[in-house]
Amino acid sequence: MRKLLTVILCCVAGLSQAASNFSFDVAPGQHGVGLRVVEQYDYARSYLGKYDVVTGKPVSGETARPMQTVIWYPAAKSGKPVSYGEYFRLAASEERFGRSDAVINAELATRLNGTPGGKEHAGEEMARRMWAVRDAKPASGKFPVVIYAPSFGAHSYENADLCEYLASHGYVVIASPSMGAHGRSMTDDVEGIEAQAADIAFLIGYAHTLPQADTGNIAVAGYSWGGISNVFVAARDNRVKALVNLDGSVRYWPERIQEAKYVQPSRLTVPMLFLAARPRSLEDLAKRGKPVTSFLNEMKYSDVRIVTLPAMEHFAFSSDALRFMPSSAYSEYSAAEVSQSHSWMARYVLQYLDAYLKQQPSAKTFLDNEPKKNGVPDHLLTVSKTLSTGAPPTMEMLAHESAKSGFADVQQVYEGLRKADPKFELSESDMNNWGYGLMRAGDTQGAIAVLKLVTVLHPDSGNAYDSLAEAYETAQDKAQAIEHYRRSLKLDPKNANAVQHLKLLGAPL
C-alpha cells in the first residue's frame, strides 16, 4: 500500500474504529468483485491548450483528453479487498498519469484536511475495507454493461459502493471522472454536458474491448450532472437500453435541455428510473429563478419510473459524500435513516437493471409492486410511473411503420404521427431525399407513394411534382410521368429538367 495510506492505517490500527455515519446494508451477489484501473487517452479530443490557464506557461506532454477508466466486474471470490483509501487515491492522478508518489501524497494530504468530518474521521473511513479486489480473476461469461457518470466535477468512485454492488450481481460497471471540456473543472453549460456525454460515448466504445462485456445490453447511470449528460447520450445513441438518474440534473436544468435542440422527447424512447430527493416546496422552486417545468413529464414515449426518497437530500445519493459527512450534517433525518434510504436506492437500481437489461420477470414484478410488498419500511419511499404512449413521431418511425404496408399507407401513418405530436413535421427536402433513397434501393412503388405525399404536403412545389414524375418514369409509367412533368412545369416554367424529360418522352410541351 502506498506511503500515505500506510501512515493513515497505522494511526488508526490500534484504535477501535468509530461507527461510520454510512452503512451500506445490501447483500452482495453471487460474484466476487474485481477492480481494474486503466489510464488511457481519448485521442479524438484535445483537452489542454498551448498554454497553462493558471501559470501561463507552455503546456508540455500529452494534450489529448485523459480518461482514467475504472472498471468493476464480476470476479472470483478471492484476494484481499481494497480499502476505501485506494479509491480516494485515484483522485490525485485523474488528469496527469504517472505522477510520483510524493506529488500524489502531498495532494491527498491537502484533500484529507479538507474533508467535512475532519482528518481523523476521514482516516477511519479510508481504512475501511470494500468488496472489490484489485485485478481479480474475471468470472466466466458475458455481463450487461453499466456506464456510470459522476456528478458535477466529481471523481469516478463517488458511488463505488453502488458500482461494487452491481458488479457482484453480474454487471460490468465502467466510470471516469466528470471533467470540463478543457480542464479539470466542470462547467455548468452545454459544453460541459457535451464533454461528459462524449466521455460516456468513449466508455461505451471501450466496453467493446472487454471480453466480459455484453455490449448488446448497455445502461447509463448518472448522479446529478451525470444525470443530464446521460440523457444527452440516449438522445443520440440507441445502443443505450436503459437510463438511471440519481436525482439527476435533467430535472433541475431545463434550460440546458432547451439549448440542445436534439434532446427531444421523440428521440428518447429508452426507459428511465429516476430516484428523487425530498421534494422541494413551491416557494423554494420559485427562488431558483428557473422555469418550473419537468422534462420527465415530456418523456411520453418512454417508460419513466420515479422513486422518491424523503430522507435523502441531494448529497445523499453519493456514498462518497455520506462517508465523510459529519454527524452535524443530519437534522430532520438521522444518518442511519439516510443510509437505509441509500441502500434501498441501490436495490431499486439493481432490480430496474435486472428488469430491463436481463429481462428478469421477478425484477419486473418488484418494480410493479407496492413498496411495502417489496419489504420497504413504511414511509421510506414512494413510487410512481408513466408508461410510453407509443411510437415516437420521427422520420425513422415513419419509415418503419410505413414499410409494413409497402408504403401504401404512408400518408395515413404521417397524419397519425402528426396527431400524436403536432410539432412533428418533415421538410420537403427530407421527404424528397427519402423518395430518391427508395428509388436507389429498387423500391420504385414505395418511392412513388412517398413522393405523392410530398406533393400533398407541398402542392405549390414544382420540384415535388418533378421528383414524382421521375419516379413514374423509372416505373415505366409514361402517362403519369408526362402528367406530373407538365404539372411541375406549370408551377415552375423555368424547370429545364421537366422540359428535357418531356422531349425524351415524346410529349408536346
Side-chain angles (χ1 to χ4, degrees):
M1 187 172 291
R2 307 296 177 90
K3 185 187 296 183
L4 179 64
L5 299 184
T6 302
V7 171
I8 292 169
L9 288 173
C10 288
C11 289
V12 299
L15 303 175
S16 59
Q17 274 192 355
S20 174
N21 283 328
F22 173 63
S23 175
F24 195 50
D25 63 350
V26 297
Q30 63 176 317
H31 301 284
V33 179
L35 171 67
R36 187 163 62 253
V37 179
V38 177
E39 294 181 338
Q40 58 184 326
Y41 292 94
D42 182 355
Y43 291 104
R45 291 185 289 162
S46 65
Y47 180 65
L48 299 177
K50 292 183 178 180
Y51 305 102
D52 188 281
V53 295
V54 176
T55 66
K57 295 180 180 180
V59 170
S60 60
E62 183 57 65
T63 59
R65 187 170 181 84
M67 293 292 297
Q68 183 195 69
T69 307
V70 182
I71 308 109
W72 293 268
Y73 56 92
K77 290 185 176 181
S78 63
K80 185 178 180 180
V82 299
S83 67
Y84 195 74
E86 291 178 63
Y87 283 126
F88 193 82
R89 187 180 179 84
L90 293 175
S93 57
E94 292 171 333
E95 279 190 294
R96 300 286 186 181
F97 303 150
R99 303 175 81 188
S100 69
D101 282 353
V103 171
I104 290 176
N105 289 344
E107 184 172 321
L108 291 179
T110 300
R111 290 189 64 225
L112 273 173
N113 289 328
T115 54
K119 186 174 181 179
E120 182 178 353
H121 173 68
E124 293 170 349
E125 290 297 332
M126 297 234 295
R128 297 183 193 281
R129 290 290 165 186
M130 301 293 287
W131 294 352
V133 174
R134 198 72 178 254
D135 299 320
K137 181 181 178 181
S140 60
K142 291 276 191 178
F143 303 93
V145 175
V146 179
I147 307 297
Y148 178 80
S151 61
F152 193 89
H155 310 295
S156 56
Y157 59 86
E158 73 173 0
N159 263 317
D161 298 87
L162 173 64
C163 295
E164 289 186 345
Y165 175 61
L166 295 177
S168 78
H169 284 274
Y171 290 90
V172 174
V173 185
I174 311 174
S176 64
S178 169
M179 306 194 299
H182 305 291
R184 181 62 188 85
S185 298
M186 177 55 77
T187 54
D188 62 354
D189 51 23
V190 170
E191 185 178 32
I193 297 172
E194 292 285 3
Q196 189 167 23
D199 288 346
I200 295 169
F202 177 88
L203 296 180
I204 290 174
Y206 175 72
H208 283 73
T209 69
L210 302 177
Q212 281 186 306
D214 172 10
T215 52
N217 285 291
I218 297 175
V220 184
Y223 163 46
S224 192
W225 196 249
I228 193 171
S229 299
N230 70 354
V231 169
F232 275 52
V233 170
R236 61 189 184 194
D237 190 342
N238 61 13
R239 292 174 298 176
V240 176
K241 299 295 191 257
L243 291 178
V244 174
N245 259 257
L246 308 181
D247 210 31
S249 292
V250 66
R251 173 178 269 186
Y252 304 118
W253 288 85
E255 63 271 39
R256 294 293 174 263
I257 291 176
Q258 292 170 6
E259 291 170 29
K261 303 298 184 184
Y262 69 90
V263 185
Q264 298 290 333
S266 60
R267 297 185 67 169
L268 277 160
T269 60
V270 59
M272 176 191 283
L273 174 67
F274 192 96
L275 295 123
R278 168 186 328 170
R280 298 186 178 193
S281 66
L282 288 174
E283 291 74 20
D284 186 35
L285 289 172
K287 288 177 184 177
R288 296 178 71 240
K290 294 185 177 184
V292 183
T293 183
S294 174
F295 186 73
L296 300 181
N297 288 339
E298 299 175 24
M299 291 178 62
K300 55 186 178 180
Y301 308 109
S302 307
D303 291 346
V304 179
R305 297 174 186 268
I306 300 177
V307 177
T308 303
L309 300 117
M312 293 178 69
E313 295 182 55
H314 187 65
F315 74 85
F317 289 85
S318 162
S319 62
D320 186 63
L322 292 177
R323 283 178 176 278
F324 297 107
M325 202 60 65
S327 299
S328 59
Y330 300 93
S331 54
E332 186 176 351
Y333 293 90
S334 68
E337 289 172 318
V338 174
S339 288
Q340 184 184 39
S341 294
H342 186 97
S343 297
W344 275 101
M345 173 202 82
R347 291 186 183 96
Y348 268 84
V349 171
L350 175 63
Q351 294 292 331
Y352 178 77
L353 294 173
D354 283 348
Y356 284 94
L357 295 191
K358 295 183 178 180
Q359 304 300 318
Q360 291 184 358
S362 60
K364 293 181 179 180
T365 299
F366 180 98
L367 294 177
D368 290 333
N369 282 344
E370 291 294 323
K372 190 171 184 177
K373 193 170 182 180
N374 291 330
V376 180
D378 290 341
H379 314 301
L380 188 76
L381 58 82
T382 59
V383 178
S384 65
K385 68 177 179 180
T386 56
L387 300 179
S388 169
T389 59
T394 62
M395 175 75 186
E396 180 182 4
M397 194 52 61
L398 175 60
H400 173 68
E401 293 296 323
S402 301
K404 294 176 181 178
S405 66
F407 299 95
D409 62 352
V410 61
Q411 182 171 342
Q412 291 86 346
V413 174
Y414 177 79
E415 290 171 351
L417 293 176
R418 284 274 295 170
K419 185 177 180 180
D421 184 357
K423 293 181 181 179
F424 173 64
E425 58 183 24
L426 297 172
S427 69
E428 179 183 348
S429 175
D430 287 341
M431 295 286 286
N432 205 54
N433 289 337
W434 182 17
Y436 278 102
L438 285 169
M439 272 197 279
R440 288 192 296 272
D443 188 352
T444 308
Q445 293 306 313
I448 289 171
V450 168
L451 294 171
K452 272 186 181 179
L453 176 57
V454 182
T455 63
V456 171
L457 299 177
H458 304 279
D460 297 326
S461 170
N463 185 62
Y465 284 99
D466 183 83
S467 298
L468 179 57
E470 284 193 34
Y472 277 120
E473 188 176 357
T474 301
Q476 299 183 348
D477 189 335
K478 183 176 178 179
Q480 289 289 346
I482 291 172
E483 177 184 340
H484 288 89
Y485 277 130
R486 283 175 172 166
R487 294 188 69 174
S488 172
L489 196 58
K490 184 176 181 181
L491 290 166
D492 181 11
K494 295 181 180 181
N495 185 353
N497 184 68
V499 172
Q500 179 184 2
H501 279 268
L502 285 169
K503 287 179 179 178
L504 289 173
L505 291 168
L509 298 179

